[in-house]
Amino acid sequence: MSAVLRADGLRVELLDGRAVVDDVSIAVAPGEILGLVGESGSGKTTLALALLGYARPGCRIVAGSVEVAGALLTGMSETAARAHRGKVVSYVPQDPSSSLNPSLRVGEAVSDMWREHGAAGSGGDEIVLTAFSRVGLPGERLFARRFPHELSGGQQQRVTIAAAVVCEPAAVVMDEPTTGLDVVTQARILEEVERLRSERGVAIVYVSHDLAVVGSIATRVAVMHAGRIVEQGAAAQVISWPRHAYTRALVSAVPRRDTPRETTADIAGAPILQVEHLYAAHGRVAVVEDVSLEVTQGACLAVVGESGSGKTTIARCVAGLHAPSAGLIRLRGEPLAARARSRTREQRRRLQIVFQNPYDSLNPRRRIRDEIARPARVLRGLSLGEANVEVAELLDRVRLPSRLAERYPRELSGGERQRVAIARALAARPEILVCDEITSALDVSVQAAVLELLRELRSELGLSLLFVSHDLGVVAAVADHVLVLETGQVREAGPTTRVLSTPQDAYTRRLLEAAPRLPSEAETS
C-alpha cells in the first residue's frame, strides 16, 4: 500500500546551522500508526511539526521533502502550507489546556477548524457534534457550549482530537497526547486513536516517550536519537528484540509493574506524616471523603486513581495549598495549619511539594539559579554564595548541566523544567516530599534517573515520599505501600507487591487492566 505521509531526507536546523533533525525518512500508509519514540531533545517534536511543513521559531527546514496525500508541503509558502494543515494533515498537541483558547467555547474551537478550511454549506453545528461523538464526548449542544476550564484533562484532549479530525484529514500527527492522563482516561483516548486507524483509515504518527503506550497501539516504531532515526521496524520486533544499543537502553529503563521494588523502609516505625479523616471540596462538590493515611520515616506511599479521584487535592491539602473541610494533618505529631502561609518556616522547609506541570510551576522571570537558590536562602538561611554552590550540586543530582543555571524556564524543555522543580524542592532539605505526577512529563531514561535519585535520597537522607502517580510501573519501582482512590474514597490500601499482584477491589483491577504494558511484560503476566 502506498504511503499517504512521506518524509525523505528531512533536515531541520537551528539558525546557527546545528541539526535538530538530520536525514530522516519515514513513510506511513493509510490505516497505519507509526510510533515515534526517543528521549527529550532527540528531535521528536521538531520532526512532528516538520511533517506539517512547519518549523518552530529558531528552526528552519533546509533539506528533504514532506508529502501528504499528494501535497508537497516543503517548499510551499507559509500561507499555502497553512491551508493544508487541518485539511490533509492535522496536529494534536501534548498540552490541550495551552492549545485551547480559554475564552472560546469548545464547540466554537472545533467549528473554527471546520470553517477555516473552506467547508461550504450548512450543517456545521451537526458536524461539530458528530466530531465530538466520534471521540467519545457528548454529542450535545450543551456540552459544545462549555469552556475548556469546565472540562477534565481527558475531555480537553478529546476536544483537540475532534478539532484535528473534523475535516477528515488523510494523516494526523499526535504529540504525546496522553501524557499526564490517568490509565483509564488514557485507555479511552487510545481506543479513539485505534478507531481512527481501523475505521477511517487515517495515517497516524504517534509521538511518545512511553514505550508501553507505543507498544500497545503502534503498527511500526521509529526510534530517534540525536536527530536521527537509529532503528525502525514492526512495533513488537523493535520493543521486544531491539537491535540498536540506544533502543535497548530505552526499553531497559521502562519501569515494570510486575517487578515491584523490595520494601526497605521501616514501615512500622513512627509516622512522619499523618492524615486523619480528611474531607475536602471544590465549591459545593466533595472531592475527598474521610481519607486517612500515614507515611513513615524513609517510606514512600503512592496514591493512585483516575482523574478526579481526589489524588491531587490530597497532595495540595498536605502541602497547605487547599484548605480541607475537615480532618487533621500532622507532621511529626505536630498539627499543621490548613494554609501554608500559616505554618512555621521550619514546617514549610520540612515538607515540600513538586507539581505535575513544569510549565506552570517555575517563575518565568527568574533564572534557574535564582529559582533553585530561593528555598535554600529563605527556608534555611544560606548566604547567596552558599546557595549558589548548592545550585550546581543539585543540578548535577537531577542530571542537568550546570550551564542551565543561567537560563530562564522558557529556554528549557518540559523534562528539564521538571528536573529543575525537583532540584528546587530539594534545596530546602525537606524531610517529606509530596510528588504530584512528577515523572509524567519525563522520557523513560530521565524518569529512571529521577526514580533512582529518589531512592538515593531515601537511603542517604531518610527522605519520605507521598507520591501521586497514574503510572503503575513507576509506582511499582518507587513505592512501599499503595493507596487506591475512587471518587474521593479509599478503595484499597496495602503493600505495593500485594496490591499490584493480587488486588482485592474491582476498581483496582480495572486500573491494572487499563494500564498499557510492554509486550514482554504482558507475556509474563
Side-chain angles (χ1 to χ4, degrees), residues 315-330:
R316 290 177 62 82
C317 286
V318 169
L321 302 175
H322 184 102
S325 308
L328 188 62
I329 301 172
R330 299 178 187 271

Side-chain angles (χ1 to χ4, degrees), residues 184-440:
V184 174
T185 305
Q186 176 179 259
R188 293 172 185 149
I189 297 293
L190 295 180
E191 286 176 4
E192 303 308 327
V193 174
E194 171 59 24
R195 187 173 293 116
L196 287 173
R197 181 202 69 78
S198 61
E199 295 182 4
R200 301 180 60 191
V202 178
I204 297 172
V205 176
Y206 193 99
V207 179
S208 181
H209 67 264
D210 191 327
L211 289 174
V213 167
V214 169
S216 72
I217 196 170
T219 315
R220 292 186 300 114
V221 171
V223 182
M224 287 198 75
H225 176 54
R228 288 177 172 266
I229 291 179
V230 297
E231 184 166 357
Q232 188 171 181
Q237 174 71 37
V238 171
I239 293 175
S240 298
W241 298 281
R243 299 188 307 274
H244 196 278
Y246 177 73
T247 312
R248 290 195 294 270
L250 286 182
V251 172
S252 65
V254 177
R256 296 165 59 102
R257 75 168 196 244
D258 61 347
T259 55
R261 70 183 297 273
E262 300 237 346
T263 298
T264 57
D266 180 12
I267 57 176
I272 186 172
L273 174 71
Q274 292 170 288
V275 175
E276 302 169 5
H277 305 293
L278 187 72
Y279 289 81
H282 291 292
R284 296 182 178 179
V285 180
V287 291
V288 176
E289 300 184 62
D290 196 22
V291 170
S292 298
L293 58 87
E294 288 186 353
V295 184
T296 54
Q297 180 75 44
C300 174
L301 172 68
V303 182
V304 303
E306 289 180 83
S307 175
S309 63
K311 306 186 304 294
T312 291
T313 300
I314 291 173
R316 290 177 62 82
C317 286
V318 169
L321 302 175
H322 184 102
S325 308
L328 188 62
I329 301 172
R330 299 178 187 271
L331 182 64
R332 290 204 179 277
E334 299 176 2
L336 291 178
R339 295 291 188 184
R341 62 175 175 265
S342 301
R343 297 176 182 178
T344 68
R345 184 172 72 172
E346 181 61 9
Q347 287 173 334
R348 285 184 283 123
R349 182 197 68 77
R350 289 159 61 187
L351 192 155
Q352 290 284 302
I353 185 169
V354 181
F355 299 99
Q356 176 178 0
N357 191 339
Y359 295 91
D360 294 339
S361 61
L362 300 177
N363 189 324
R365 292 183 289 183
R366 282 199 194 124
R367 293 185 188 274
I368 299 306
R369 176 185 303 283
D370 299 327
E371 192 79 1
I372 296 174
R374 182 174 173 80
R377 300 189 67 192
V378 172
L379 299 178
R380 292 170 52 207
L382 268 61
S383 68
L384 178 60
E386 291 169 332
N388 283 337
V389 169
E390 291 210 3
V391 168
E393 294 174 353
L394 287 165
L395 286 173
D396 183 63
R397 293 205 83 159
V398 296
R399 279 187 59 185
L400 288 175
S402 58
R403 67 176 183 275
L404 294 189
E406 304 307 321
R407 296 187 183 177
Y408 289 94
R410 65 177 179 273
E411 299 176 285
L412 275 56
S413 70
E416 288 170 335
R417 293 185 205 191
Q418 188 62 292
R419 283 178 278 169
V420 167
I422 295 169
R424 179 183 60 181
L426 294 176
R429 295 275 178 89
E431 295 178 8
I432 183 164
L433 196 61
V434 179
C435 303
D436 186 8
E437 299 277 14
I438 67 170
T439 62
S440 64

